Amino acid sequence: MHSKVPPTPSGMYPRGGLLRRRETAFAWALILPSFVFIGVIIFYPMGLSLRLSLFQVDLTRRGAGTPFVGLANYIDILKSGYFWSSVGRTAYFTVVSIAIEMVLGLFIALLLNEKFRGRSILRSLLLLPWALPITVDAIMWKWIFNANYGAFNALLQQLGLIEKYQPWLTRPWSAMHCVIAADVWKVTPLVALLLLAGLQTIPRELYEAAEVDGAGWFRSLWKITIPLLGPTMTVVLVLRTLDAFRVFDIVYVMTQGGPANATKVISFLTYQEAFKFLHFSRGAALSYLITLIVAVLALLYTRAMKRQIEY
Amino acid sequence: MRRLISMLCLVGVVLFGACALGKVEISGLFMKQAGYQESDIRAMTEEFLKMRPDIDVKLSFVAYEELHDKIVVAAASGAGTYDVILLDCIWPAEFAEAGWLLDVTERLSEEDRADIFPEVLSAVTYRGRLYGMPWLNDWEYFFYNKKMLEAVGAKPPTYWTEVIDIARKLKAQNIVEYPIIDAWGQGEAVVIQWLQYVYAMGGTLFDEAGNPTMNEGKPLEALEFMVQHMDEGLFNPACIESFYEEVRRVFSAGQAAFGLNWTYMYNLANDPAESQIAGDAVIAVIPGFPDGRRSATCNGGMGLSILTSSQHPDEAWDYIQYLASKEVQKKYSQNALPIWKSLYDDPELIAQQPELIKVAKEQIHYIFDRPQVPWYSQLSLILSEELQAALTKAKTPKQAMDDAVSRTKEVMERYAQ
């Protein structure tokens, strides 16, 4: 706060005086409501669920009471194969969807950074998928991949790639990629937009200089665009990883974790424990494990980002 | 300061206005799927509100798959979000154990109780206590496309063996690509449909001592039956992603000759606005197996319950009584048949639903209940995962059922602790 005080030309704010103290108090008064608000809606539930995760709270067994069990819930989960296989699935979803989103997003951003007629219209159209609620997106893709009358099947058949309609959502391997496709379609526009913003900060002179030196399009992409886009890309990467790791809605609408658990990501597992089985304490422990994983990822990324900026 | 005073005045006026109207507001949670349709329930409620101007009813509708979780969240928070909820017959044990359902045993008269089908009463009963009013009297039926059967000169089938024979003919003659559609989506649906084959074969899931035994005998055979005939292309491969609405759409689009579904498909599949095969959809008793039972159908009875967190249980009960009354059930019999035995001989009702009543009277003899245990949600999830593992070829049927047994034992042990 101290550095924020403007320089005083004629001793209007005597050092350590009444006015300054009043100003600090005023600042606190301004912050306090939002602090209380955040406390009530974030810190209080967080504390409560941490407490919940250390007890055994199972609503279908009221007779058993709610004894303190320490870390037993966590140990139970960490020992179960179901937890690790869903972590694996979540990681696969995260890596593949982000990789595709990054590459596609970069190409779209490069395209929209060029000057051509109708560019501004295209730029606003680009945001359409992003503006759609996730549930709507998921329902739409569920219909597109429908085994009996889906548009995807019709397209492939008209192109002569498949002989008859395929049930894409009923095969474990393809179902996961259908879910990824729905996510990619929705999120690529956001990635493209963020990268486009990054592209516009790169000075044109650099490209002109490269052109004079005889560098081709691909070489300037590799030597100028991508290195200078690094910080933006890292930000996108962090945002997207944190988001993708908690994916739930698309899975809930499209597959309910099926077929044969192929799309049962970690958030879906948590939801099942808590709301299907009423094992609130295990659900809470699972949520904390997700938080932990995401926190570690965020830490690693911020480290990497710092290094990059120094470079 | 002056602004504050005027704000307070405004709030006061609003509060006073609400009190002066004196309406008791109750809210109900219903589903948007089989059984009574949303428009039916809205119309019933309108009629009730006309009779009871002192009450206001707020309605919410969710998909069946969401119903359980919505109730759990509302009940566990104790905030009184819903007064009346639609209760599926697999939940009384779970919810009553958690203390969320109002015991209404004393509220239902002996006379009324005697006139209600025992199958639907059991849907809202746990340990001899009544936790709701039976409301939706529903079980599944078999449906076939009359025109397709005529095309191959087949008679309506009585046993699954005949269904398979006809299906082979239909496929061979290219009348329909995949003759049978069934709801095997991951969730409750695949469990119900598999149980139907298990019970039709004459099997059960647990031995006399209560140990799970689905990895041998009929339960295993039932799963093998499903896998084998899906491989053969008789069951639509899309069964694995289908729930009842998908079954209805595929059947109504003329893309299946046979389908299994709840009562509501009958009228919708014959409604030209909803179906391309209107007039050709026939309802029948579900086939059985020659060496097993003649038929088997799952009890899908549902009731209306009051949550213990409700502030207005008496008004809620009045509302429930109206929805379940004979007049209302008779008037809206199109999508769900009444719970009242006496109505089945009512000439007016028979005139409204001649075919349905005839088949219903026979099908009711073959009703089975799903296991009534407080850990049913977990059992159902284990079964649905393992059944799907076999259907998608991730495991062999035997492997899948072995795993189902060992996982069920784990749940039972944890629960017995």
Side-chain angles (χ1 to χ4, degrees), chain A:
Chain A
M1 292 311 308
H2 291 242
S3 57
K4 287 280 160 66
V5 178
T8 56
S10 54
M12 262 174 72
Y13 298 104
R15 203 172 293 160
L18 186 68
L19 268 173
R20 176 182 283 188
R21 239 179 292 151
R22 275 182 68 176
E23 199 171 69
T24 317
F26 182 63
W28 273 108
L30 283 182
I31 296 170
L32 199 65
S34 56
F35 198 75
V36 169
F37 202 66
I38 292 171
V40 169
I41 63 171
I42 296 179
F43 294 119
Y44 173 68
M46 268 178 79
L48 203 66
S49 59
L50 183 64
R51 187 177 174 275
L52 202 60
S53 74
L54 301 175
F55 285 75
Q56 186 185 312
V57 182
D58 185 346
L59 292 180
T60 57
R61 297 173 58 198
R62 267 194 313 166
T66 55
F68 178 78
V69 292
L71 292 176
N73 286 320
Y74 291 92
I75 295 167
D76 250 18
I77 292 167
L78 290 174
K79 278 202 297 196
S80 83
Y82 284 87
F83 172 72
W84 292 108
S85 50
S86 71
V87 169
R89 267 175 232 128
T90 315
Y92 182 83
F93 173 86
T94 308
V95 170
V96 175
S97 60
I98 293 179
I100 302 174
E101 283 154 19
M102 279 297 218
V103 174
L104 275 181
L106 182 62
F107 276 103
I108 294 173
L110 285 172
L111 200 69
L112 290 182
N113 202 30
E114 298 297 317
K115 279 206 179 98
F116 59 89
R117 270 170 78 100
R119 181 174 75 163
S120 45
I121 295 175
L122 261 185
R123 278 186 184 176
S124 22
L125 277 182
L126 174 72
L127 270 181
L128 216 59
W130 176 247
L132 226 52
I134 301 186
T135 318
V136 176
D137 166 64
I139 293 175
M140 186 182 82
W141 282 95
K142 193 181 170 184
W143 282 89
I144 289 175
F145 288 122
N146 185 291
N148 295 298
Y149 32 76
F152 186 63
N153 270 319
L155 178 76
L156 292 185
Q157 201 184 37
Q158 278 164 23
L159 291 175
L161 292 173
I162 52 170
E163 211 166 286
K164 55 184 180 186
Y165 280 25
Q166 301 294 316
W168 300 105
L169 287 170
T170 73
R171 298 195 190 114
W173 188 243
S174 71
M176 173 55 104
H177 293 98
C178 291
V179 172
I180 290 177
D183 189 67
V184 166
W185 186 79
K186 177 161 171 61
V187 177
T188 304
L190 177 77
V191 175
L193 202 76
L194 290 172
L195 293 180
L196 183 61
L199 279 179
Q200 287 173 349
T201 62
I202 302 176
R204 292 213 73 82
E205 294 80 40
L206 285 177
Y207 291 105
E208 283 158 13
E211 212 173 325
V212 171
D213 287 347
W217 179 84
F218 193 74
R219 206 174 154 77
S220 15
L221 175 74
W222 202 244
K223 290 284 174 192
I224 302 172
T225 314
I226 291 185
L228 286 176
L229 216 49
T232 319
M233 283 173 122
T234 322
V235 170
V236 175
L237 204 63
V238 173
L239 276 177
R240 284 300 303 140
T241 312
L242 303 192
D243 244 14
F245 218 84
R246 294 171 308 165
V247 60
F248 174 77
D249 351 31
I250 297 187
V251 170
Y252 182 87
V253 175
M254 281 181 77
T255 60
Q256 287 276 316
N261 286 348
T263 56
K264 193 156 150 189
V265 289
I266 189 163
S267 300
F268 199 81
L269 185 76
T270 311
Y271 148 80
Q272 261 179 348
E273 276 293 336
F275 297 116
K276 285 266 184 248
F277 303 162
L278 313 186
H279 297 158
F280 282 12
S281 47
R282 277 170 73 96
L286 265 167
S287 319
Y288 263 94
L289 286 173
I290 301 181
T291 313
L292 199 71
I293 296 174
V294 169
V296 168
L297 283 175
L299 205 73
L300 288 177
Y301 277 143
T302 25
R303 286 240 172 121
M305 193 149 63
K306 264 189 197 146
R307 233 184 324 190
Q308 223 166 21
I309 287 169
E310 280 161 18
Y311 158 80

Side-chain angles (χ1 to χ4, degrees), chain A residues 59-62 82 143 147-149 164 167 170 252 258-261 264 271-272 275-279, chain B residues 66 68-69 72 94 97-98 100 177 186 236 238 241 250 255 377-378 381 385 388 392 407 414-415 417:
Chain A
L59 292 180
T60 57
R61 297 173 58 198
R62 267 194 313 166
Y82 284 87
W143 282 89
N148 295 298
Y149 32 76
K164 55 184 180 186
T170 73
Y252 182 87
N261 286 348
K264 193 156 150 189
Y271 148 80
Q272 261 179 348
F275 297 116
K276 285 266 184 248
F277 303 162
L278 313 186
H279 297 158
Chain B
E66 287 168 47
H68 175 273
D69 312 343
V72 168
E94 183 184 346
E97 280 290 331
W100 295 337
E177 166 100 53
Q186 182 153 343
N236 194 323
E241 56 165 321
V250 170
Q255 294 182 340
S377 290
Q378 286 168 79
L381 187 98
E385 288 179 358
Q388 282 235 320
T392 55
R407 290 175 66 192
R414 183 131 54 106
Y415 201 77
Q417 270 170 19

Side-chain angles (χ1 to χ4, degrees), chain B residues 251-264:
Chain B
F251 185 76
S252 302
Q255 294 182 340
F258 304 106
L260 292 153
N261 213 330
W262 306 88
T263 314
Y264 85 116

